[in-house]
Amino acid sequence: MDAAVKMAASKAAIAPFEATPLDVIPAVSSNARATFRSHQTKDLQWRIVQLRKLYWALEDFKPSFVAALDQDLRKGGYEAVFTEIDWVKNDCMFMINNLETFAKTQKLKYPDVPATYSMMNFRVKKEPLGTVLIIGPYNFPVQLVLAPLVGAIGAGCTAVIKPSELTPACAMVMKEIIETRLDRNAFAVVNGGIPETNALMEEKWDKIFFTGSAQVGSIIARKAAETLTPVCLELGGKNPAFVTKKANLALAARRLMWGKTLNAGQVCMSHNYVLVDKDVVDTFIDFLKVAYKEMFPNGAKASVDLARIVNARHFTRIKKMLDETKGKIVMGGQMDESELFIEPTAVLVDSLDDPMMQEESFGPIFSIYPVNTLDEALNIANEVHRTPLALMAFGDKSETGRILDEMTSGGACINDAYFHGAVHTVPFGGVGDSGWGAYRGKASFDTFTHFRTVSETPTWMDRFLRVRYMPYDWSELRFLQRLTDKKPNFDRQGTVVKGVGYWMWFFLGLGTQGGGAKGALKRWLVVLAGYYLSVYVKARRA
């Protein structure tokens, strides 16, 4: 760790954890709603100032967050800065630099609006949803709470955030920076466990953003449905990794080891199991051991970089998977409950019923399942979990292409472990029961924004709108149809008919490229110019 940060972290004072009184929660949410109704958050400059303040709060409170992450997860200073604090600072800068573009009203033109209605000034106005609730997890207790908050601020929402009670030190630092650096009328922190979360869910929100387990996510979704509150759910899943005999086995082993050692494998995108071609299983395991030795030359327990399991309950849950497996531990296996330490561990299994295949580990352990063919691997992955949050594929292009085509997932990574989710500016989210909605980058702005379509009909146009008024006149409707209806170039079986109508359509649109009459004209001018240029060149040569 940087010496100055380490010294400051050692001196950081973190207040003891305190749950927010239940009787205070209604007033907290009411105050945030009242602030939104004041319309001050719709001002772009106000939003940018809040994001700037959050950026500097993260910088100024860096020692406190480093100390808190060490206290809660024994997360090393490198990971604390790299994957948590700097991540959110970069999020702030991205939103600050792009907010005016994201928030700009979008004018709708062809092909969204037919030429017939072009005078009605159709546009999409980007409006904040309102007052939102953000419920965070324990595994990345800074990043996965404050990154959604960046999106909410950028969109112009007010927000109440509820950090995980399993990381109490981080929760208290979060409370301090929100209350001392941001607008306290617009943003607030509620700390606590299940009672406090239940109290928050009794309030009316304009959107709920939840990151956590699918079990809790389903409870959040059911409760939100009672008041028709939209939700964004960032959940998890039993994520597969595929390793074929054509893969670079050494690279696959090294990169998958990274995926299970970052944050001690407490990463929603990390692989739960690896489907390996049986002909290369032994070689792959050997390369895993090489990667382990490179990362932990003195053993994993002695490493200052490897985090610990968040608490005894989760330690016991992971240990139980290893105790009950009928597979063979081929790497790691060491545990120490007094330190909540579990060594990065690989288990060779031969049954889909094994606990290592049926349960989500959410820790530094994973199974290796030998397969005969890629077909078998895909069948197994779809049986274990049809819509995981992530998948990782190592092989040649034809193999990885098949995996992407035949396996659904929230995101996917070729030749790496979840790097698709390691860049803060690209959308991230699940699919099916691994999550609803996405965020990060522009998607963070979008998830808290209502895209409001607006049209503006000139008063003088009424004479041209006779078709919509009673008593109806069929001649008016037929005239409108002649103006707006597009004739198909295909028959009832879906086959393109290349008759006179087709060639007229081809000529007017220059094939299937679209773009309207103006675009067709431009393309035909290019074609004609090219033709006459070729005639001119031939004449010159003659």
Side-chain angles (χ1 to χ4, degrees), residues 233 245 264:
L233 302 177
K245 65 174 68 176

Side-chain angles (χ1 to χ4, degrees), residues 463-491:
R463 73 189 72 176
F464 300 106
L465 301 176
R466 170 68 187 84
V467 67
R468 72 186 189 183
Y469 294 123
M470 295 183 186
Y472 294 134
D473 184 337
W474 280 95
S475 65
E476 294 278 353
L477 180 58
R478 283 191 288 271
F479 177 71
L480 180 64
Q481 289 171 338
R482 285 196 295 272
L483 289 176
T484 59
D485 285 8
K486 297 184 184 299
K487 302 300 182 185
N489 67 314
F490 49 86
D491 62 20

